[in-house]
Amino acid sequence: MERVNPATEAVLDPIDEHTDTAIEAAIDRSVDTYETWRDRSLSQRRRLLAAAGDELRENTMEYAEIATREMGKPITEAIAEIEKCAWVCDHYAEQADSYLADEVIRSEPHAKTFVSHEPIGPVLAVMPWNYPFWQVFRFAAPALTAGNTGLLKHASNVPGCAKAIERVFERAGYPRGVFQSLIVGSDAIEGIIEDDRIRGVTLTGSERAGRAVGGAAGRELLPSVLELGGSDPFIVLDDADVETAARVGTRARTLNSGQSCIAAKRFIVHEAVYDAFVDAFITEIESLSIGDPTDESTDIGPQARKDLMDDVHEQIQQTLRAGGTLETGGEPLDREGYFYPPTVVTDVPHDSPMGREEVFGPAAAVFSVPDEDTAVEVANDSTYGLGGSIWTEDLDRGEQLARRIESGCVFVNELTKSDPRLPFGGVKQSGYGRELSEHGIKSFVNEKTVWVQSADAQE
């Protein structure tokens, strides 16, 4: 599998793909290991997960540097990503027993009735390159601790991350077949899903990938979770703290060099504060440093691949031709690597690419609206529904508006983010199902109803 450092365009050592024979052996191993892994006590599985968290903390830089080298993530963000993976391990190590405890339900006087939460078997995870460790761990930490085994098909440009994640679990003491990385191309996914030994599928990726994987899982009647794209609204109301909204909005749009499903992408600003916000936002955007992702002072690294940078640029150019106004940025940097500057476009037509599509790069579309009802209307005028952010000094107002936004999560006076303690997922074309929290660990369990009739009731 070929790899290129997106910051330097240097060719990295390739990593061998798995053959059909190796894939078959890995699935066999996953099935065989599941038979013993499921019978391990929950306390044992929790201890191993805690050990995985310790491994991540003890070797944070080793893992962070792999992500930076393969997909260009600024090193400070890569370090934070590894630390977050350790956090999700800690969370489920601490909370899995309460999340998976039997749910007692009252029924007949002489019967004991409850729901038990039991694993289902090998689960295939199809994961993206943009958060190459976090996206995997937010699946693996709960799914493995619930007693399932996992098979990872990672993105083709981060095979080194895939191998490193497998190494984390090995170093933590997990049996070999509990978690395995399959170094294969996308053309192998459907065949793996169709294998009757696979019992569940989860994907984080594009809408196109979600349709393909979700369709294949549906044909096999497999439980699935899809976390797809987003075009999250960032609503700034007339009573907002404009300076704070601009500062946090800049971070919300440019995290991971703009390559995030839950990044703020459409900035919907009340006309009363529109000019002040745009001025403050542009100032913040232009203050960011763009450059070497291994330098801790860098804010914006390269786009992960040249074709991805080209796609973002074309979306921006089409929007400008449709009537948008370029405020800053808008051209790839003339330098080695796939660097695109943070870009702000105002007067964005609603039917232009930046108004209708997901822009997976550091480019913000800004809209002016006359009132909060219009803000909600514009926010919901999207095929996506992953996250959203609302800025207002009136918290009651913010909460009520949050209830009207069609998305899987809404944050008031905060950027949209994932948190191990909270369920995460989308609606509409942003997918279905939930990850993280108690909801996430139950995505791949059999919620089995058990009725135990008292002998006295038979007399």
Side-chain angles (χ1 to χ4, degrees):
M1 198 162 278
E2 303 295 331
R3 302 182 295 162
V4 175
N5 184 324
T8 65
E9 301 182 52
V11 177
L12 304 174
D13 291 339
I15 292 179
D16 290 341
E17 292 192 40
H18 282 130
T19 63
D20 291 344
T21 301
I23 295 170
E24 178 71 17
I27 297 175
D28 271 342
R29 191 178 303 117
S30 188
V31 172
D32 292 344
T33 304
Y34 170 67
E35 295 305 321
T36 55
W37 178 246
R38 66 178 300 177
D39 292 333
R40 288 229 188 172
S41 68
L42 182 55
S43 62
Q44 288 178 312
R45 297 197 297 263
R46 289 168 56 209
R47 282 195 295 271
L48 284 170
L49 186 63
D54 291 341
E55 165 62 23
L56 288 161
R57 273 185 292 270
E58 290 166 6
N59 296 289
T60 296
M61 189 57 71
E62 172 190 340
Y63 298 122
E65 287 176 345
I66 296 171
T68 295
R69 184 166 57 251
E70 283 197 320
M71 55 74 59
K73 187 184 297 287
I75 190 64
T76 54
E77 293 188 20
I79 290 169
E81 180 174 340
I82 303 304
E83 292 172 343
K84 191 170 184 178
C85 292
W87 179 21
V88 79
C89 290
D90 293 345
H91 177 76
Y92 282 107
E94 295 166 0
Q95 300 296 329
D97 56 346
S98 62
Y99 288 163
L100 296 175
D102 291 345
E103 179 186 356
V104 177
I105 302 175
R106 289 187 175 275
S107 57
E108 299 294 330
H110 297 287
K112 177 183 180 182
T113 50
F114 61 93
V115 175
S116 77
H117 303 95
E118 303 173 6
I120 60 174
V123 179
L124 173 66
V126 183
M127 292 292 141
W129 50 263
N130 59 327
Y131 287 91
F133 282 82
W134 170 243
Q135 305 281 17
V136 177
F137 272 90
R138 76 184 190 190
F139 149 72
L144 303 186
T145 307
N148 302 296
T149 52
L151 293 159
L152 169 65
K153 188 284 173 206
H154 218 326
S156 296
N157 59 330
V158 289
C161 292
K163 299 295 288 184
I165 294 167
E166 190 175 55
R167 193 158 61 247
V168 170
F169 289 109
E170 290 173 355
R171 289 176 175 178
Y174 279 73
R176 183 184 176 198
V178 172
F179 181 91
Q180 300 171 86
S181 289
L182 303 177
I183 309 302
V184 297
S186 297
D187 56 350
I189 295 174
E190 186 171 352
I192 297 172
I193 294 173
E194 291 173 347
D195 190 302
D196 60 12
R197 294 167 293 179
I198 299 298
R199 298 301 173 84
V201 184
T202 181
L203 172 136
T204 298
S206 67
E207 179 185 339
R208 178 185 58 80
R211 290 182 183 278
V213 169
R219 288 191 295 273
E220 300 301 319
L221 298 180
L222 295 177
S224 59
V225 172
L226 302 180
E227 193 266 278
L228 309 179
S231 186
D232 287 7
F234 189 99
I235 299 173
V236 183
L237 297 177
D238 52 332
D239 63 344
D241 178 338
V242 171
E243 295 296 325
T244 300
R247 174 173 51 80
V248 178
T250 297
R251 180 166 173 76
R253 174 59 280 201
T254 60
L255 270 171
N256 203 33
S257 305
Q259 301 165 120
S260 173
C261 296
I262 56 171
K265 299 185 175 80
R266 295 177 297 135
F267 290 77
I268 302 166
V269 186
H270 194 289
E271 62 185 14
V273 295
Y274 178 82
D275 290 340
F277 175 82
V278 170
D279 288 346
F281 189 42
I282 292 172
T283 298
E284 292 284 347
I285 286 285
E286 291 180 340
S287 72
L288 298 174
S289 62
I290 309 167
D292 180 1
T294 66
D295 187 334
E296 292 186 359
S297 67
T298 293
D299 297 310
I300 305 292
Q303 302 300 282
R305 299 194 312 260
K306 183 179 186 302
D307 63 304
L308 298 171
M309 180 184 72
D310 292 343
D311 288 345
V312 170
H313 183 57
E314 180 59 25
Q315 287 174 305
I316 292 168
Q317 292 304 305
Q318 288 184 22
T319 300
L320 296 178
R321 290 194 291 270
T325 300
L326 181 66
E327 301 290 349
T328 188
E331 288 289 339
L333 298 186
D334 184 16
R335 57 174 294 174
E336 187 177 59
Y338 313 134
F339 290 89
Y340 204 90
T343 297
V344 177
V345 178
T346 57
D347 304 317
V348 174
H350 289 275
D351 59 352
S352 68
M354 293 185 72
R356 307 300 300 176
E357 301 172 6
E358 178 177 33
V359 180
F360 215 66
V366 187
F367 303 84
S368 176
V369 293
D371 51 52
E372 65 182 43
D373 289 337
T374 307
V376 171
E377 181 181 343
V378 173
N380 290 339
D381 184 22
S382 172
T383 60
Y384 297 106
L386 192 54
S389 184
I390 297 172
W391 291 79
T392 174
E393 293 289 273
D394 185 336
L395 300 187
D396 289 336
R397 181 189 190 191
E399 181 179 335
Q400 290 305 310
L401 284 183
R403 295 177 183 275
R404 297 172 59 190
I405 302 299
E406 297 169 352
S407 64
C409 61
V410 180
F411 288 71
V412 178
N413 296 333
E414 178 60 289
L415 57 80
T416 303
K417 55 188 176 182
S418 56
D419 183 312
R421 299 164 296 187
L422 303 174
F424 180 81
V427 297
K428 300 195 284 190
Q429 301 305 309
S430 291
Y432 55 75
R434 292 296 179 265
E435 297 177 296
L436 302 175
S437 76
E438 181 175 356
H439 299 259
I441 202 169
K442 292 180 178 177
S443 292
F444 295 106
V445 298
N446 175 17
E447 295 185 275
K448 179 188 289 182
T449 297
V450 179
W451 180 301
V452 181
Q453 187 75 18
S454 168
D456 294 341
Q458 307 297 334
E459 297 177 358

